[in-house]
Amino acid sequence: MRRSHGSVHLVVTALIVAACGPKDQGAAKPDSSATPSAAATPNSVVVHAKDFGFDAPNEIAAGMTTFRLVNDGSTFHHMQILRLDSGKSVADLQQAFKKPGPPPHWMVMVGGPAAPDPKGEANATVDLKAGNYALVCFVNVPGGVPHVAKGMIHPLTVTAATAASAPSPKTDLVVTLADYSFTLSTPLTAGTHTFEVRNTGPQPHEFQIIQIAAGKTSKDVMDQIAKEMNPKVTKLAATQPGRAVGGVAGIMPGTPAYFTADLPAGDYLLICFIPDGKDGKPHFAHGMMQTVKVT
């Protein structure tokens, strides 16, 4: 599941049809004597990832939005949501990807679902403002080539909201990302949790969760990723030492994102693959990987 996010060019070697768009706004408004309606819920968008593309809407309304990523592919995919400021377009972004160096200032990471296993699902909830966006997969296994280089990029226009945005999801656990660590507000326990992911920066970070298979270690997971980065490798091994659960793709400092995951008891690897802004090494090489036990 290694990938190259932050350098946004295709030569980086360091290292994701919507079922529905905005929430239904067609229901009749209750009269003044009716019981007040429940609080608004986030818009819901389903995106299917394949080898190599996204089946996704071209336009959605602004506001708090939950994206459900369904991985129909044979390898890992995530869905990095990039906001394109300064009037830039996906064509501008594709040109920027071809140039070595740091990402342009107008490319802003706002989260999205981190990678699930092939045939699996992941989700993330983010607050989108009106503007131009791109959905991108930077995963580069198997073979070491980022999937965006194979056409895995999709333009998304976010239009002005026509109704009040939903509040942030209710969460039971906060994950704080920093250079270069993860801090959990409480120990992880088995069951379903809704996470708030905060980045205290100063660099962009992601939060990927991998469940380590019984009898395996985090080293086994990382060794397998390294093997599948080999340009001669064309498909994933049938048996993997870990299961990609999901999480939140790259977010900028001060930009919260949310996701829900069901965690069975066991050992897990928390990891950030984003390349460092100073030396280009993946953040896990700076210590941003942590093994935790879910009880």
Side-chain angles (χ1 to χ4, degrees):
M1 289 158 290
R2 188 178 299 186
R3 54 244 187 206
S4 51
H5 300 59
S7 296
V8 292
H9 57 89
L10 302 183
V11 297
V12 172
T13 57
L15 305 129
I16 92 172
V17 174
C20 53
K23 60 182 180 296
D24 183 12
Q25 299 177 9
K29 295 182 179 179
D31 61 40
S32 58
S33 63
T35 301
S37 59
T41 57
N43 299 334
S44 179
V45 176
V46 178
V47 176
H48 286 261
K50 58 186 179 181
D51 305 338
F52 295 93
F54 292 110
D55 287 333
N58 296 321
E59 183 177 296
I60 63 174
M64 195 68 69
T65 304
T66 297
F67 290 89
R68 182 164 68 94
L69 179 68
V70 181
N71 186 359
D72 298 324
S74 63
T75 187
F76 304 104
H77 296 297
H78 73 166
M79 192 186 85
Q80 175 69 65
I81 305 173
L82 302 175
R83 193 179 73 239
L84 310 180
D85 291 344
S86 303
K88 298 299 183 178
S89 66
V90 167
D92 296 318
L93 183 64
Q94 290 172 312
Q95 287 301 311
F97 283 162
K98 297 177 182 179
K99 300 176 183 178
H105 67 88
W106 43 263
M107 190 201 83
V108 181
M109 294 181 179
V110 296
D117 259 10
K119 312 308 178 185
E121 297 185 12
N123 64 84
T125 299
V126 295
D127 192 7
L128 299 180
K129 67 179 185 179
N132 293 331
Y133 290 77
L135 311 180
V136 179
C137 182
F138 289 111
V139 175
N140 59 357
V141 292
V145 177
H147 296 167
V148 64
K150 300 180 179 183
M152 204 160 182
I153 183 170
H154 184 87
L156 177 67
T157 300
V158 176
T159 60
T162 57
S165 178
S168 301
K170 292 183 178 180
T171 63
D172 59 283
L173 196 148
V174 176
V175 182
T176 302
L177 315 180
D179 295 1
Y180 302 93
S181 66
F182 303 102
T183 302
L184 304 175
S185 60
T186 60
L188 287 174
T189 57
T192 300
H193 297 278
T194 298
F195 298 74
E196 177 182 352
V197 182
R198 303 173 181 171
N199 182 5
T200 59
Q203 299 188 65
H205 292 295
E206 68 178 339
F207 182 62
Q208 173 75 55
I209 303 178
I210 301 171
Q211 183 180 13
I212 302 172
K216 300 296 182 178
T217 66
S218 59
K219 183 179 184 301
D220 295 323
V221 173
M222 298 310 295
D223 287 348
Q224 184 65 33
I225 291 172
K227 288 179 183 178
E228 292 174 346
M229 284 277 293
N230 189 313
K232 295 182 180 180
V233 175
T234 59
K235 62 180 180 179
L236 300 181
T239 302
Q240 293 284 324
R243 176 180 71 91
V245 174
V248 169
I251 54 175
M252 304 300 289
T255 305
Y258 311 85
F259 75 100
T260 299
D262 184 15
L263 304 179
D267 293 327
Y268 289 77
L269 176 65
L270 315 179
I271 190 165
C272 178
F273 292 101
I274 293 180
D276 192 74
K278 296 179 181 179
D279 61 16
K281 295 179 180 179
H283 286 166
F284 72 77
H286 288 274
M288 201 167 179
M289 58 186 297
Q290 179 179 340
T291 302
V292 298
K293 184 175 288 293
V294 174
T295 58

